[in-house]
Amino acid sequence: MTDFHAHILPEADHGSDGLETSLRQLRMAQEAGIRTVVATPHFYPQQEDVEPFLQRRQRAYEQLMKAYSGRVRVLLGAEVQLCAGLNHLPGLNRLCIAGTNTLLVEMPFAEWTENLRQTLLTLQDSPDYTPVLAHVDRYYPPAVAELLRSGVLGQLNAQGLCRLRGRRRLLQWVCDGFVAALGSDIHGTQTGYRQFQRAVRILGNKTEMIMERTERLL
């Protein structure tokens, strides 16, 4: 299985406060049956340029890999906050998941403007990017559904499936082919991978459908 959305790089953002936390996160992932974790530290284009972000991410990754001896494969990516005109950001392609054109995009929690939606759809129409909308379970459902029906793929947080409210809608999105990845969105170690494991049980044989879509993205 692949955890497509995880904040496991030490001190790369608020997801892990240091090396020991990151190592524990990876041990938890392995115990939960995860084979691949996509490290997706937050990238805010309004606050930081691509190059310093990549340097900071690489330092955190090298520190973690030097200390880690387990079996979980870690891929480098980013959780990129969408802003109007993001498609023009120099170096945006370098924020895609390593070796792919897959870009994990986080929508702001303020009202989505038409410029914002058009930026995402421009990325969707580009041969250079396959945007995946992060944690589709956390946004206003009709707005998300409109984007999903437009061809934008979604990533589902395990936590969303663990809540009864809205679960039927999320499962329908999975069956409709809108959900291409499952993520823990892990921050720290308090909840570990318990919700991820529960989400897998709720999904049942639909888990394999999602993981096949994830493999195609990677």
Side-chain angles (χ1 to χ4, degrees), residues 18-105:
L19 180 60
E20 288 305 315
T21 295
S22 296
L23 291 171
R24 189 176 176 198
Q25 288 173 320
L26 287 177
R27 287 195 295 270
M28 289 175 169
Q30 183 171 313
E31 290 167 2
I34 306 296
R35 291 188 174 186
T36 300
V37 170
V38 183
T40 54
H42 288 282
F43 175 77
Y44 301 110
Q46 306 92 333
Q47 300 177 14
E48 189 174 15
D49 292 330
V50 171
E51 187 58 36
F53 169 81
L54 293 175
Q55 292 176 5
R56 179 164 53 84
R57 187 186 70 175
Q58 186 63 27
R59 287 194 299 270
Y61 174 75
E62 290 175 359
Q63 181 190 17
L64 180 57
M65 290 299 98
K66 184 176 180 180
Y68 181 60
S69 58
R71 298 192 299 273
V72 176
R73 178 179 63 153
V74 177
L75 299 180
L76 288 178
E79 182 180 2
V80 181
Q81 188 173 80
L82 189 73
C83 62
L86 180 70
N87 50 302
H88 299 301
L89 180 71
L92 179 63
N93 62 309
R94 301 174 68 193
L95 300 177
C96 293
I97 297 171
T100 76
N101 69 349
T102 302
L103 185 71
L104 184 65
V105 176

Side-chain angles (χ1 to χ4, degrees), residues 160-177:
L161 277 172
C162 292
R163 293 191 297 263
L164 185 59
R165 183 178 181 181
R167 182 185 297 170
R168 181 179 297 180
R169 178 184 67 254
L170 299 179
L171 290 173
Q172 186 61 55
W173 286 352
V174 173
C175 292
D176 290 341

Side-chain angles (χ1 to χ4, degrees), residues 107 112 117 120-121 133 142-152:
M107 299 294 280
W112 298 354
R117 285 190 288 267
L120 181 58
L121 294 176
L133 189 59
V144 175
E146 181 182 352
L147 291 175
L148 297 177
R149 287 194 295 267
S150 297
V152 179

Side-chain angles (χ1 to χ4, degrees), residues 2-8 37-42 78-79 104 106 133-135 138 155-157 181-187 193 196:
T2 297
D3 178 2
F4 197 80
H5 182 170
H7 297 270
I8 53 96
V37 170
V38 183
T40 54
H42 288 282
E79 182 180 2
L104 184 65
E106 178 185 32
L133 189 59
H135 40 62
R138 294 174 62 182
Q155 173 260 310
L156 179 63
N157 270 11
L182 182 66
S184 67
D185 202 0
I186 190 170
H187 288 67
Y193 274 82
F196 195 99

